């Protein structure tokens, strides 16, 4: 998975970097490194474990106990802005 593919994947889910970091059990800064493909001027590879976990998230899998999968908890919807009341 390339940095561009990783970022596109996250955006296709409509999630922020913090959201995907929480789902993957990583820090937001690590997600930023993966999306840029660099850290302190050095290349950063997205580990196979993160690729596979990303696939699991796409499939709605939130956990695995060795026998069964658990679904991802429903994401919190962003607050909707209220329309101004008409007089």
């Amino acid at each position: 998975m390339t940095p561009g593919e990783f970022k596109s994947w996250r955006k296709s889910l409509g999630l922020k970097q913090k959201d995907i970091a929480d789902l993957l059990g990583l820090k937001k800064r690590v997600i930023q490194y993966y999306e840029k493909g660099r850290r302190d001027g050095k290349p950063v590879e997205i580990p196979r474990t993160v690729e596979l976990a990303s696939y699991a998230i796409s499939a709605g899998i939130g956990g695995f106990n060795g026998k069964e999968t658990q679904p991802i908890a429903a994401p919190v919807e962003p607050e909707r802005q209220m329309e101004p009341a008409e007089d």
Side-chain angles (χ1 to χ4, degrees):
M1 180 178 255
T2 66
E5 291 168 338
F6 185 78
K7 185 174 185 176
S8 292
W9 165 75
R10 174 184 60 81
K11 287 187 167 200
S12 75
L13 296 177
L15 297 174
K16 296 180 180 182
Q17 289 176 334
K18 175 70 172 128
D19 299 329
I20 217 65
D22 290 344
L23 286 171
L24 290 170
L26 301 170
K27 299 208 180 271
K28 179 182 169 186
R29 190 72 187 138
V30 173
I31 300 304
Q32 292 170 337
Y33 295 146
Y34 289 163
E35 290 187 359
K36 287 184 180 181
R38 302 193 81 62
R39 178 181 179 206
D40 299 328
K42 297 178 185 173
V44 171
E45 274 191 47
I46 299 169
R48 176 66 49 104
T49 53
V50 172
E51 287 183 18
L52 293 172
S54 299
Y55 172 77
I57 290 168
S58 294
I61 299 169
F64 179 64
N65 66 11
K67 294 182 182 178
E68 300 174 340
T69 60
Q70 291 82 42
I72 293 177
V76 177
E77 290 187 34
E79 290 184 30
R80 296 181 186 190
Q81 293 183 348
M82 300 283 293
E83 295 288 328
E86 292 184 30
D87 293 337

